[in-house]
């Protein structure tokens, strides 16, 4: 394993080095939180693909392939569909707003009264997303170094917190780009063909497994619909995703770069399902489907290649973890803490870098501590996405698409949708499909009814909103800086 260890150690050292390099660039709030809003197509596409394809998409995607066959691709496939929808229909408008958080967008659209409560919901979502990503370190480091769960979480989490705190979005962008390359080589170019060959090829796989493993809808229509509702729509409104859109240097970069990333996700989804199907042929009696990735990597790959593929899994987890962490810290500082202290409109971006850096460190420690204490990852992630979609989807998309939506309607949608989801999860169970179905319908009804029953949004607010959407924003950076490819 010495060669494999060397590959992993070099990779981790490189992550820390890029964090140090990013610290030298992050001299303003804009540079620290959104990389100066000047990423070109190459960096934007790679980093966007990296953040949405995390441990759940890699280890979990292979596990779904092991359990359901090719239809196990649907979870990651719906993530790709969501990213494509965001890029094609909304990313240009989102990018032109020149804000830092989703809650700031809601304040602009509705007149400054929806930000705090939406910030709390978004903070809870990003925190749990970071926690579930951090827990995934335990699986990878257990295969690598045979260390216990707590040590693995601390080791992986500390590296992510370190480079994220040092350089903010610049460090995360650079590390994500490396992680994207490592994932592409490790999973798509190495593990996928090796797994298929080891399983005897597609002909042998078809002969060995039931026909249902090759049915594209075998996972079930209701499950696919739920994936679309949670993951596709979740991609449209998550702070972790929007914060990457804010880094694009132009509308065109956001639209086409995101389209490339979304297409990549579709290919990654199919690859994970095929790898899982091959693992089912090789190891038909695993105790847990989620062990399929680690087992096939550990037993079937040659020395060196094994280290690179494990680095790819580690890259997948780190990219999502770091993206969720900076999103969580940004929301906590800009949408909650500064509002509670009455500092939401404080000027002087250069003075805010230290504050945001402190918040990343504090949130990172909270994420590591919560990850150590938490046992059920699936339930935690389900709660996060149910609250996000049930509480925030309607007011966000309504604000972008419906002029008649009001601040009262937005607040009602967040409150009714969020409370409905929580109550229904208590009644039906956390993993049930009904909470997000009925919670979303309740949120939509509250938004429409209250918006129509209250006075329309002030025309001055809507005029300012239209100016932002058109890109005529007072927040545009004044310094002339070169765009980065």
């Amino acid at each position: 394993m010495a060669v494999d260890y060397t590959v992993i150690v070099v990779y981790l050292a490189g992550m820390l080095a890029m964090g140090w390099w990013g610290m030298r660039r992050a001299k303003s709030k804009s540079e620290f939180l959104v990389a100066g809003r000047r990423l070109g197509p190459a960096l934007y596409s790679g980093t966007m693909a990296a953040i949405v394809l995390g441990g759940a998409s890699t280890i979990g995607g292979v596990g779904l392939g092991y359990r359901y066959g090719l239809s196990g691709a649907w979870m990651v496939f719906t993530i790709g569909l969501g990213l494509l929808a965001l890029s094609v229909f909304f990313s240009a408008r989102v990018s032109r707003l020149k804000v830092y958080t989703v809650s700031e967008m809601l304040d602009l659209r509705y007149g400054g009264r929806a930000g705090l409560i939406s910030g709390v919901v978004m903070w809870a979502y990003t925190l749990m997303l970071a926690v579930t990503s951090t827990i995934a370190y335990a699986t990878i480091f257990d295969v690598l170094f045979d260390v216990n769960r707590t040590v693995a979480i601390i080791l992986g989490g500390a590296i992510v917190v370190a480079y994220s705190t040092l350089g903010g979005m610049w460090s995360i962008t650079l590390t994500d780009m490396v992680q994207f390359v490592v994932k592409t080589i490790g999973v798509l170019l190495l593990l996928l063909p090796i797994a298929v060959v080891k399983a005897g090829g597609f002909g042998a796989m078809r002969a060995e497994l039931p026909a249902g493993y090759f049915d594209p809808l075998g996972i079930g229509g209701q499950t696919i619909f739920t994936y679309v509702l949670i993951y596709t729509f979740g991609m449209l409104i998550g702070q972790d995703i929007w914060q990457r859109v804010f880094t694009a240097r132009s509308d065109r970069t956001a639209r086409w770069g995101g389209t490339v990333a979304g297409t990549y996700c579709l290919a990654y989804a199919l690859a994970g399902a095929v790898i899982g199907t091959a693992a089912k042929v090789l190891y038909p009696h695993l105790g847990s489907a989620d062990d399929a990735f680690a087992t096939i990597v550990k037993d079937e790959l040659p020395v060196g290649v094994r280290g690179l593929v494990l680095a790819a899994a580690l890259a997948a987890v780190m990219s999502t973890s770091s993206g969720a962490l900076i999103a969580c810290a940004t929301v906590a500082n800009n949408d909650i803490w500064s509002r509670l202290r009455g500092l939401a409109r404080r000027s002087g971006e250069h003075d805010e870098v230290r504050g945001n850096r402190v918040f990343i460190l504090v949130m990172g420690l909270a994420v590591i501590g919560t990850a150590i204490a938490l046992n059920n990852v699936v339930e935690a992630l389900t709660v996060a996405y149910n609250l996000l979609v049930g509480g925030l989807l309607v007011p966000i998309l309504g604000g972008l698409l419906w002029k008649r939506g009001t601040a009262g309607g937005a607040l009602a949608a967040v409150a009714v949708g969020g409370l409905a989801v929580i109550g229904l999860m208590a009644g039906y169970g956390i993993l049930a499909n009904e909470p997000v179905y009925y919670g979303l319908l309740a949120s939509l009804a509250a938004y429409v009814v209250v918006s129509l029953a209250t006075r329309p949004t002030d025309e001055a607010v809507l005029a300012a909103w239209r100016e932002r959407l058109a890109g005529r924003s007072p927040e545009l950076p004044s310094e002339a800086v070169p765009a980065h490819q």
Side-chain angles (χ1 to χ4, degrees), residues 187-448:
V187 175
L188 296 183
L189 301 183
L190 292 177
L191 182 58
L192 174 61
I194 290 173
V196 172
V197 170
K198 291 283 187 178
F202 286 105
M205 291 162 63
R206 279 186 172 275
E208 189 73 23
L209 296 172
Y213 267 75
F214 301 91
D215 180 357
L217 303 178
I219 199 170
Q222 186 179 26
T223 298
I224 294 171
F225 179 73
T226 303
Y227 284 158
V228 170
L229 202 59
I230 293 178
Y231 296 113
T232 301
F233 285 116
M235 288 295 106
L236 297 179
I237 60 174
Q239 169 68 24
D240 51 326
I241 308 302
W242 276 40
Q243 198 157 343
R244 295 309 174 96
V245 176
F246 300 152
T247 66
R249 77 176 187 214
S250 67
D251 297 354
R252 183 178 177 85
T253 297
R255 183 182 296 112
W256 291 108
T259 300
V260 170
T263 305
Y264 178 89
C265 291
L266 303 183
Y268 200 88
L270 185 59
V274 171
I275 293 167
T277 304
K280 183 66 175 179
V281 174
L282 295 168
Y283 311 99
H285 304 297
L286 288 179
S288 170
D290 287 337
D291 293 335
F293 179 88
T295 302
I296 196 170
V297 169
K298 193 172 184 179
D299 293 349
E300 301 298 335
L301 299 186
V303 172
V305 173
R306 179 172 51 208
L308 184 59
V309 172
L310 286 172
L314 195 58
V317 176
M318 283 187 162
S319 58
T320 299
S321 181
S322 59
L325 176 58
I326 193 171
C328 178
T330 302
V331 170
N333 188 17
N334 291 269
D335 292 338
I336 300 175
W337 179 246
S338 62
R339 292 170 191 266
L340 292 176
R341 295 186 61 190
L343 300 176
R345 301 189 184 278
R346 184 179 65 181
S347 61
E349 288 194 350
H350 291 270
D351 298 329
E352 296 189 29
V353 172
R354 181 180 178 185
N356 282 293
R357 186 172 279 134
V358 168
F359 264 86
I360 290 181
L361 178 60
V362 172
M363 290 297 106
L365 295 175
V367 165
I368 293 172
T370 306
I372 291 171
L374 199 64
N375 290 319
N376 197 317
V377 180
V378 176
E379 289 191 358
L381 193 60
T382 301
V383 170
Y385 270 101
N386 282 353
L387 282 173
L388 176 70
V389 174
L392 291 180
L393 178 67
V394 169
I396 292 172
L397 293 189
L400 289 170
L401 300 173
W402 191 38
K403 179 181 176 181
R404 187 61 180 82
T406 66
L411 290 170
V414 175
V416 171
L419 291 174
V421 164
I422 293 171
L424 290 166
M425 283 192 294
Y428 284 98
I430 289 177
L431 298 180
N433 293 326
E434 289 82 0
V436 72
Y437 294 168
Y438 299 141
L440 191 55
L441 288 174
S443 179
L444 178 61
Y447 182 71
V448 173

Side-chain angles (χ1 to χ4, degrees), residues 32-311:
F32 190 83
L33 293 181
V34 290
R37 306 188 193 275
R38 49 198 176 103
L39 296 190
L43 278 179
Y44 182 85
S45 298
T47 57
M48 182 62 88
I51 187 176
V52 300
L53 296 173
S57 301
T58 304
I59 298 171
V62 171
L64 286 171
Y66 183 90
R67 186 180 292 117
Y68 299 107
L70 297 186
S71 66
W74 272 105
M75 184 188 78
V76 183
F77 201 83
T78 55
I79 290 173
L81 292 178
L83 186 51
L84 285 171
L86 173 66
S87 302
V88 173
F89 298 112
F90 300 108
S91 63
R93 281 181 281 180
V94 169
S95 178
R96 286 195 294 264
L97 290 174
K98 303 301 179 191
V99 295
Y100 293 100
T101 68
V102 174
S103 295
E104 289 179 16
M105 167 263 169
L106 292 173
D107 274 352
L108 282 171
R109 169 61 180 81
Y110 296 111
R113 290 186 289 164
L116 182 59
I117 185 172
S118 63
V120 171
V121 175
M122 190 65 76
W123 173 80
Y125 157 73
T126 53
L127 178 71
M128 295 315 301
L129 183 62
V131 166
T132 53
S133 300
T134 302
I135 290 173
Y137 295 130
T139 300
I140 300 169
F141 281 106
D142 177 57
V143 175
L144 284 172
F145 305 120
D146 194 25
V147 297
N148 69 47
R149 179 178 183 275
T150 299
V151 173
I153 289 172
I154 292 174
L155 178 59
I159 293 170
V160 170
V161 171
Y163 72 68
S164 300
T165 301
L166 285 172
M169 186 59 80
W170 268 122
S171 296
I172 292 171
T173 294
L174 294 171
T175 54
D176 276 0
M177 196 62 199
V178 173
Q179 289 157 358
F180 168 74
V181 172
V182 171
K183 279 192 290 192
T184 300
I185 296 172
V187 175
L188 296 183
L189 301 183
L190 292 177
L191 182 58
L192 174 61
I194 290 173
V196 172
V197 170
K198 291 283 187 178
F202 286 105
M205 291 162 63
R206 279 186 172 275
E208 189 73 23
L209 296 172
Y213 267 75
F214 301 91
D215 180 357
L217 303 178
I219 199 170
Q222 186 179 26
T223 298
I224 294 171
F225 179 73
T226 303
Y227 284 158
V228 170
L229 202 59
I230 293 178
Y231 296 113
T232 301
F233 285 116
M235 288 295 106
L236 297 179
I237 60 174
Q239 169 68 24
D240 51 326
I241 308 302
W242 276 40
Q243 198 157 343
R244 295 309 174 96
V245 176
F246 300 152
T247 66
R249 77 176 187 214
S250 67
D251 297 354
R252 183 178 177 85
T253 297
R255 183 182 296 112
W256 291 108
T259 300
V260 170
T263 305
Y264 178 89
C265 291
L266 303 183
Y268 200 88
L270 185 59
V274 171
I275 293 167
T277 304
K280 183 66 175 179
V281 174
L282 295 168
Y283 311 99
H285 304 297
L286 288 179
S288 170
D290 287 337
D291 293 335
F293 179 88
T295 302
I296 196 170
V297 169
K298 193 172 184 179
D299 293 349
E300 301 298 335
L301 299 186
V303 172
V305 173
R306 179 172 51 208
L308 184 59
V309 172
L310 286 172

